């Protein structure tokens, strides 16, 4: 049996994790620095923690448990400012985006953690390519079955969230032609993209335990799906968005996902999301971003991403009002993603200018 904590925190409470790059303050290239940032944070009282990620040139900013998206935003502003201060002491800076514009992923050092080195040994080049950063949103669930209902209910909308959050048009110094290079790279991992359909929490638990018994995974955190139950925290963890540069956009996606979880968990059960539709929509979202044409969750029509966004916002409006997040969502632009800004800067200048802009805006709200 997997230890679970569903219902032990307030329903719809939040924990937010941002994956942020560490760059050289002068060259703006990725640089290993996570050990010094984590050590610095251990000597300070923060509204969360700084943690190691797969690569030594990345750091995870993880908030404490928050009751609202606004509270989570405040914690992230503090954590970004702390990481930036720690980085400055070593001639470094932080930069929040889905990918780095010009550094080569396969040249990055692996973080000094035995689990990460073991994973790289197992996954090989597909692991070495994972110089990508995402936003992970944990939403507290009142029960295990509510978590599974929320998982199935949110899944149909997650490609749209990916499209709106797309913030990784460059990889290894090239304009990829994808709005989210990160999403394509993540799909190279085992057990990625959409989870299978599970009839119940017990069905999910049995699936995980079978893989563990077969020696294919050492626990459910080795399933890198776009959304997954996280029973230790008592949450549904949504992992699909690219990492935003603007902390205000992070807060908007947190508010949107919190309200969506509340809406689908408290509503009638929805039909299972067609995994073939999900695969098509995920590809369209990573390719085109807000210009994507997406299969509607009802499966019988295709809509432009902006039109589908307005439908989603209408669906969750009652929950947004109840949760007090109306103002946070005003920064969402259904017609534009942050990757568009990266492309505009690069086409008028250089990739170094892209990175400079990303680094500057990553801490703009911390001032």
């Amino acid at each position: 049996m997997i230890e679970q904590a569903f219902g032990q925190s307030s329903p719809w409470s939040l924990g937010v994790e941002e994956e942020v790059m560490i760059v050289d303050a002068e060259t703006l290239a990725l640089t290993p620095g996570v050990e010094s940032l984590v050590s610095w944070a251990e000597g300070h009282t923060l509204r969360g923690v700084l943690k190691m990620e797969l690569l030594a040139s990345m750091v995870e900013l993880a908030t404490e448990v928050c009751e609202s998206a606004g509270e989570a935003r405040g914690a992230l502003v503090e954590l970004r400012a702390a990481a930036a201060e720690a980085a400055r002491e070593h001639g470094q800076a932080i930069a929040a985006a889905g990918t780095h514009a010009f550094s080569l992923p396969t040249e990055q050092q692996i973080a000094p953690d035995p689990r990460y080195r073991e994973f790289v040994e197992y996954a090989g080049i597909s692991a070495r390519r994972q110089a990508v950063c995402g936003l992970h949103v944990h939403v507290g669930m009142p029960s295990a079955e509510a978590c599974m209902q929320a998982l199935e209910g949110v899944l149909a909308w997650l490609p749209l969230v990916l499209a709106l959050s797309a913030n990784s048009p460059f990889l290894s110094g090239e304009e990829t032609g994808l709005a989210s290079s990160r999403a394509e790279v993540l799909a190279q991992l085992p057990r990625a993209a959409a989870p299978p359909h599970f009839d119940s929490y017990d069905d999910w638990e049995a699936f995980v335990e079978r893989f563990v018994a077969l020696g294919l995974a050492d626990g459910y955190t080795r399933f890198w799906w776009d959304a997954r139950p996280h029973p230790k925290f008592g949450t549904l963890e949504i992992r699909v968005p690219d990492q935003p540069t603007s902390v205000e956009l992070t807060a908007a996606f947190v508010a949107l996902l919190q309200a969506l979880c509340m809406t689908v968990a408290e509503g009638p059960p929805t039909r299972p999301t067609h995994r073939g539709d999900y695969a098509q929509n995920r590809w369209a979202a990573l390719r085109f971003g807000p210009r994507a044409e997406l299969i509607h969750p009802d499966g019988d029509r295709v809509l432009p991403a902006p039109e589908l966004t307005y439908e989603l916002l209408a669906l969750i409006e009652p929950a947004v009002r109840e949760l007090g997040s109306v103002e946070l969502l005003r920064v969402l632009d259904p017609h534009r993603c942050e990757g568009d800004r990266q492309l505009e800067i690069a086409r008028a200048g250089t990739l170094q200018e892209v990175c400079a802009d990303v680094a500057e805006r990553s801490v703009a709200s911390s001032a």
Side-chain angles (χ1 to χ4, degrees), residues 26-350:
E26 292 188 3
T27 68
L28 300 172
L30 288 174
T31 188
V34 68
E35 287 182 278
S36 60
L37 267 65
V38 170
S39 296
W40 183 95
E42 289 171 349
H44 294 76
T45 301
L46 301 171
R47 294 165 63 184
V49 296
L50 273 59
K51 299 165 61 178
M52 286 191 185
E53 256 300 334
L54 175 64
L55 300 181
S57 51
M58 294 163 55
V59 63
E60 181 182 291
L61 316 179
T63 72
E64 60 192 3
V65 177
C66 301
E67 292 302 316
S68 69
E71 184 182 338
R73 177 203 171 279
L76 289 168
V77 167
E78 179 180 302
L79 290 171
R80 287 194 187 198
E85 182 179 346
R88 276 194 297 272
E89 293 184 5
H90 296 85
Q92 298 167 345
I94 64 167
T99 55
H100 191 276
F102 63 82
S103 288
L104 300 179
T106 53
E107 292 185 355
Q108 305 310 308
Q109 294 182 22
I110 305 302
D113 183 315
R115 291 185 77 242
Y116 290 138
R117 298 188 183 282
E118 176 187 337
F119 172 60
V120 172
E121 181 68 22
Y122 168 67
I125 189 62
S126 63
R128 302 283 318 185
R129 290 172 174 156
Q130 298 300 314
V132 295
C133 298
L135 170 65
H136 300 169
V137 181
H138 290 262
V139 182
M141 290 289 144
S143 68
E145 290 308 325
C147 181
M148 300 311 293
Q149 178 166 325
L151 170 60
E152 202 60 44
V154 304
L155 198 62
W157 297 98
L158 293 189
L160 175 62
V161 175
L162 173 61
L164 297 174
S165 70
N167 194 23
S168 50
F170 297 101
L171 189 66
S172 300
E174 294 183 358
E175 182 178 328
T176 62
L178 305 177
S180 174
S181 301
R182 166 186 164 271
E184 184 189 45
V185 170
L186 280 176
Q188 298 172 20
L189 292 176
R191 304 176 292 280
H197 171 65
F198 299 104
D199 292 328
S200 65
Y201 179 81
D202 289 344
D203 188 22
W204 170 82
E205 186 175 49
F207 182 91
V208 170
E209 290 181 335
R210 181 169 63 88
F211 269 64
V212 172
L214 290 170
L216 297 172
D218 61 8
Y220 64 83
T221 59
R222 294 299 184 111
F223 291 73
W224 293 279
W225 293 321
D226 291 341
R228 65 186 184 190
H230 203 306
K232 180 181 177 181
F233 294 156
T235 64
L236 175 64
E237 180 187 3
I238 300 172
R239 306 162 50 84
V240 76
D242 271 12
Q243 173 59 50
T245 301
S246 163
V247 74
E248 309 301 337
L249 271 174
T250 288
F253 288 117
V254 170
L256 185 153
L257 292 169
Q258 181 191 34
L260 178 58
C261 284
M262 179 179 177
T263 299
V264 298
E266 291 189 335
T270 57
R271 70 175 190 175
T273 297
H274 194 296
R275 270 39 180 190
D277 290 1
Y278 188 91
Q280 167 62 32
N281 279 352
R282 191 182 191 278
W283 178 86
L286 73 85
R287 168 67 176 94
F288 299 109
R291 271 83 47 196
E293 298 276 333
L294 301 174
I295 302 170
H296 190 280
D298 64 19
D300 64 4
R301 52 203 161 114
V302 172
L303 291 178
E307 188 173 338
L308 195 58
T309 302
Y310 295 127
E311 189 167 326
L312 173 58
L313 292 173
L315 172 70
I316 66 173
E317 182 180 8
V320 171
R321 294 192 179 280
E322 183 175 340
L323 293 165
S325 301
V326 173
E327 290 303 317
L328 294 177
L329 285 170
R330 295 196 190 282
V331 300
L332 277 183
D333 183 348
H335 299 275
R336 184 175 171 83
C337 62
E338 283 191 295
D340 295 336
R341 179 181 176 116
Q342 290 195 43
L343 289 167
E344 289 163 1
I345 293 172
R347 290 166 182 172
T350 66

Side-chain angles (χ1 to χ4, degrees), residues 348-359:
T350 66
L351 293 182
Q352 282 74 15
E353 290 175 282
V354 171
C355 294
D357 179 72
V358 166

